[in-house]
Amino acid sequence: MTPGVTIWRCAKCRAGFFPERLLCPRCHGDRFETDRVHEAVVEEVSVIRHMLGQENWQPRRIASVRTSDGQLMTVGLVDEADVGAAIELFQDEAAPFGRAKRSPSVS
Ligand SMILES: [Zn+2]
């Protein structure tokens, strides 16, 4: 599990994109550098209750989220984070996931 999710940043104008683009829609640059975003806000949540051909499917929650850098992406939710929640992003293999940000624990 890797913290953050990979985005691609235009080498020329620094605009960040997800997924990767061939050309920057802003400046038409064609060189990109990878970067990582770590935070997002949940905009929409859907539950996948069935998957064709899959038995024993457990309902999964996926969310459309807006990253702190402005990209819109779809991530799997691993907890009960809901619309408006600030989440932290991480990647498992290549798949992006999110979970509610832990408030710093006071001990
Ligand atoms: Zn650009």
Side-chain angles (χ1 to χ4, degrees), residues 47-58:
V47 180
I48 304 176
R49 297 188 189 282
H50 304 282
M51 182 65 80
L52 221 60
Q54 295 267 354
E55 302 206 11
N56 306 319
W57 175 264
Q58 299 295 321

Side-chain angles (χ1 to χ4, degrees), residues 9-90:
R9 198 174 286 291
C10 174
K12 207 158 136 192
C13 74
R14 311 307 297 165
F17 300 100
F18 181 94
E20 191 175 11
R21 304 284 176 94
L22 290 175
L23 280 181
C24 172
R26 227 163 85 178
C27 73
H28 302 137
D30 60 0
R31 287 204 311 116
F32 292 88
E33 295 159 2
T34 56
D35 198 357
R36 298 189 82 74
V37 281
H38 294 268
E39 288 176 28
V41 173
V42 177
E43 293 201 338
E44 212 179 303
V45 175
S46 345
V47 180
I48 304 176
R49 297 188 189 282
H50 304 282
M51 182 65 80
L52 221 60
Q54 295 267 354
E55 302 206 11
N56 306 319
W57 175 264
Q58 299 295 321
R60 284 183 201 183
R61 301 173 77 231
I62 57 168
S64 182
V65 305
R66 179 74 61 183
T67 73
S68 55
D69 199 63
Q71 297 81 26
L72 192 64
M73 59 174 74
T74 302
V75 304
L77 288 177
V78 296
D79 58 18
E80 295 303 304
D82 217 331
V83 174
I87 58 170
E88 53 184 356
L89 300 167
F90 63 96

